[in-house]
Amino acid sequence: KLQGLSLQEQNVAAAAVTAAAATETQMEQHVMFSCPSLGLDIGKYDTIKTGIRELLYSQLGEDKGVAACLIIHTCNKGIEKVSVCVDTLCKYVENIVRNAEEEKYRKIRQSNKAYQERVCCVEGALLFLEAAGFVEQELPFNDGTDKFWVFPTDGDVERLEGLSASLRCAEPLRPTLERSAVVLLPRQAAKVPQLPPEFYNISKEEMQREKQLRSEVVEQSIVLRTKAMRERQSQKDLRKYRFTLLRIRFPDGLTLQGTFRVAEKLSAVMQFVREYLVNDWRPFFLCPSAGKRFTSEDEDQGLSEHLLVPSAMLNFAWDLDVTDPGLDDSVMLAPHAYELISQDQLQDH
C-alpha cells in the first residue's frame, strides 16, 4: 500500500499505525512541566511544584540535612530572601568553628530581630538547624528567660561545616518546562492557536489590545528598529508574557510546534528543531519572514527581541552552502518526529 507514495506520505502512513500512543493535539494549548531529576511525570506547574515539595519532605527521614538545604532553596519565594537566610545560617556556623571555646557563639536567641527577619521566616531553616545538631533550650536572659537554639559543646563540628557547604552549593529544584512538541499537518497548522491564560501576565482586555498593537508592529520593517528599541520591547514583553508558542513550518507542509519561556534565547529554538531533523548535524536557517533569516549572531538574543512572543511562525530552510550527493534536500524531519502527529489529524488527513 505504500508503493508510489512519497517519503513524507510513507512516514505519515507509518505514524498512523502507532498513533494511539502519539501526543493528542489540541488547538487550545496547555503549559506542561515535569521534574526529571525527581522522576515526576508531566503535569501542570502547581502539580509538579507540589510533588517536588512533598518529595523533599519525604526525604527528611533519610538525610535531614540535605533535604533541609533543598527545602530552603526550593520552597521559598524571593532569591534575596533565600540568600540572606543562607548567609546568616552559614555565619552562625562560621562563628562556631572559629570560636569553638566561646559559649556565646553557640547560642542563637530566637527572639533576636535578625533571627526573626532572616531565618525564622524561611521555610526549611529550622529543619536545617535541627539537622546541624542545634537543640532548643529555655535559658536565662535579662530578668527572665528566653528560647535559644544551642549547639552542644560535644556537637559534631565537622558535620556542621559539611552542612554549611551543602547549603551554599544547593540549587533549587524547579518544574522543568515541557516543549509539548507536536507535528501539525497543513490543515491544523492553518488554524490560529488559542493560547491559555497562563501564557500571559495581563488581563483578557489587555491581551486583545496587545494583539492589535502587535499586528501593526509586525507589519513594519524590523530592519528600521534600533537595538535600543528592540531591548525596550523585549523588557515590555518579559513583563506581559510568560511563555510563547512557536511553530516551525517546513517546505513539505508539516509544522513542528513547541512551547518556550519568553526569557529563552533563539538558540533554544534552534536546538529544539535540531532534535527532530533527519540530519541533526546539517546547518539550517529559521526565517521569520520572506527575505529574512536568522543568523548565528541572532541566536544569543531573546525571543522577545525577535518579536517571537506570544506566538509566531518561522520557516525552515536548509543551508544550501552545505552540499553532499548523499543528501536529499526534500527530507527534513526524522522518523521519530512523525510520531508526534496525532491520531485525530491522521484520520482527517
Side-chain angles (χ1 to χ4, degrees):
K1 291 183 179 180
L2 297 180
Q3 291 181 351
L5 297 179
S6 67
L7 180 58
Q8 177 196 342
E9 291 170 329
Q10 291 182 36
N11 282 325
V12 171
V17 178
T18 58
T23 303
E24 181 181 357
T25 302
Q26 300 179 354
M27 292 314 294
E28 182 176 355
Q29 303 299 317
H30 295 283
V31 182
M32 305 302 284
F33 296 81
S34 66
C35 188
S37 61
L38 295 181
L40 294 177
D41 293 331
I42 297 174
K44 291 188 176 181
Y45 181 85
D46 288 342
T47 301
I48 300 301
K49 185 178 179 181
T50 299
I52 292 173
R53 188 176 187 277
E54 291 176 350
L55 278 172
L56 290 179
Y57 273 89
S58 72
Q59 294 302 305
L60 288 172
E62 298 293 329
D63 192 330
K64 190 171 187 177
V66 172
C69 292
L70 291 173
I71 289 171
I72 289 172
H73 283 277
T74 302
C75 300
N76 292 282
K77 292 183 178 180
I79 296 176
E80 182 63 25
K81 176 182 178 181
V82 172
S83 178
V84 169
C85 176
V86 170
D87 288 342
T88 304
L89 289 173
C90 290
K91 189 63 177 179
Y92 291 157
V93 173
E94 181 184 331
N95 286 338
I96 292 173
V97 173
R98 290 185 175 182
N99 306 277
E101 303 302 322
E102 295 192 44
E103 183 182 0
K104 67 177 183 178
Y105 289 111
R106 291 188 287 105
K107 296 190 299 183
I108 305 169
R109 182 164 52 87
Q110 295 184 15
S111 61
N112 176 269
K113 183 179 180 182
Y115 169 82
Q116 289 288 329
E117 294 180 350
R118 302 175 186 178
V119 177
C120 185
C121 59
V122 175
E123 184 175 358
L126 306 189
L127 294 171
F128 176 87
L129 291 172
E130 291 175 350
F134 285 84
V135 293
E136 286 189 278
Q137 293 184 13
E138 187 89 17
L139 298 176
F141 181 73
N142 291 339
D143 296 331
T145 62
D146 207 341
K147 287 185 177 181
F148 288 78
W149 285 105
V150 179
F151 188 76
T153 54
D154 60 348
D156 190 340
V157 177
E158 185 175 340
R159 171 175 170 74
L160 187 66
E161 288 186 283
L163 282 179
S164 178
S166 296
L167 184 60
R168 285 286 190 195
C169 298
E171 295 287 341
L173 294 171
R174 303 294 190 209
T176 300
L177 175 66
E178 285 290 314
R179 296 298 184 209
S180 301
V182 294
V183 170
L184 305 174
L185 298 179
R187 183 182 300 179
Q188 284 291 92
K191 298 179 181 179
V192 177
Q194 300 300 312
L195 303 179
E198 56 260 44
F199 264 63
Y200 301 88
N201 281 326
I202 54 180
S203 66
K204 290 183 178 180
E205 293 74 16
E206 290 173 317
M207 287 163 50
Q208 293 301 322
R209 289 198 298 269
E210 181 63 25
K211 287 179 182 178
Q212 179 61 36
L213 290 173
R214 185 160 294 277
S215 297
E216 296 173 359
V217 171
V218 172
E219 292 175 0
Q220 301 174 6
S221 173
I222 298 178
V223 179
L224 296 178
R225 301 172 73 244
T226 65
K227 181 179 179 181
M229 292 169 63
R230 292 197 302 271
E231 289 177 349
R232 285 197 297 272
Q233 182 64 46
S234 175
Q235 291 303 313
K236 290 180 180 179
D237 288 343
L238 285 172
R239 291 192 296 269
K240 291 177 182 177
Y241 311 113
R242 302 171 61 196
F243 308 101
T244 182
L245 186 72
L246 298 183
R247 290 178 172 179
I248 295 84
R249 180 167 50 205
F250 290 82
D252 60 5
L254 297 181
T255 297
L256 175 64
Q257 175 179 286
T259 304
F260 298 81
R261 292 185 184 275
V262 171
E264 290 189 78
K265 296 181 179 180
L266 181 63
S267 57
V269 183
M270 300 292 286
Q271 178 59 36
F272 168 70
V273 174
R274 194 174 298 283
E275 292 173 1
Y276 294 99
L277 296 181
V278 65
N279 293 309
D280 59 3
W281 57 267
R282 188 175 177 183
F284 64 92
F285 296 107
L286 294 182
C287 310
S289 60
K292 177 178 173 57
R293 65 188 185 188
F294 290 128
T295 66
S296 58
E297 295 179 354
D298 297 316
E299 293 187 27
D300 286 334
Q301 295 179 328
L303 299 180
S304 58
E305 291 183 72
H306 293 300
L307 292 180
L308 301 180
V309 175
S311 64
M313 176 75 80
L314 300 172
N315 293 310
F316 175 93
W318 289 121
D319 183 351
L320 297 181
D321 289 339
V322 178
T323 59
D324 188 302
L327 295 176
D328 185 348
D329 292 342
S330 65
V331 180
M332 287 151 280
L333 291 173
H336 68 271
Y338 291 88
E339 297 176 5
L340 301 177
I341 301 175
S342 73
Q343 187 175 21
D344 290 343
Q345 289 190 92
L346 292 169
Q347 289 175 345
D348 292 342
H349 185 72

